[in-house]
Amino acid sequence: MTEMKQFGLDVSLSEEVAQGHYSNLAIISHSSSEFIVDFATVLPGVDKAHVKSRIILTPEHAKRLLRSLQDNIVRYESTMGKIEIPSPQPTPEAGPKMGEA
């Protein structure tokens, strides 16, 4: 188990948790008292996304997470370059369109 000092706290990190989970999809929902973030993996050609981790946050902590992510992205882009998000490409519809042979 790894231990880290951060903000004056002892933070422990087990080997299993340290391995992490890959996620390429986050699904966010909320109620009046909490935000729920499901981290999932979507694979090409598979119709089902598998949730790997669910994090439940208070609204205050959700906002702190948002600010922290914004700060970290600014620092990342200042050294690594701008993160480009590609525009979604239109998918061709199957079958002929009206007026086409």
Side-chain angles (χ1 to χ4, degrees):
M1 186 168 356
T2 303
E3 294 202 12
M4 301 174 286
K5 282 270 195 185
Q6 190 169 13
F7 305 111
L9 294 174
D10 285 328
V11 178
S12 64
L13 183 65
S14 69
E15 288 184 35
E16 181 182 343
V17 172
Q19 293 296 315
H21 294 284
Y22 175 76
S23 174
N24 58 6
L25 174 67
I27 302 163
I28 303 170
S29 55
H30 67 276
S31 69
S32 61
S33 60
E34 61 206 9
F35 278 76
I36 300 164
V37 185
D38 288 328
F39 293 98
T41 303
V42 179
L43 299 174
V46 178
D47 292 341
K48 192 173 189 177
H50 295 280
V51 174
K52 300 292 186 173
S53 183
R54 170 173 280 186
I55 306 299
I56 303 169
L57 304 152
T58 64
E60 179 184 340
H61 283 105
K63 195 162 195 173
R64 287 176 193 239
L65 175 62
L66 172 66
R67 289 179 180 166
S68 182
L69 282 170
Q70 287 173 328
D71 291 346
N72 277 272
I73 288 172
V74 167
R75 282 189 276 158
Y76 175 94
E77 289 182 331
S78 71
T79 56
M80 306 299 277
K82 185 173 169 74
I83 300 169
E84 298 292 338
I85 299 175
S87 302
Q89 299 296 318
T91 56
E93 295 181 32
K97 295 181 182 169
M98 295 298 287
E100 292 184 359

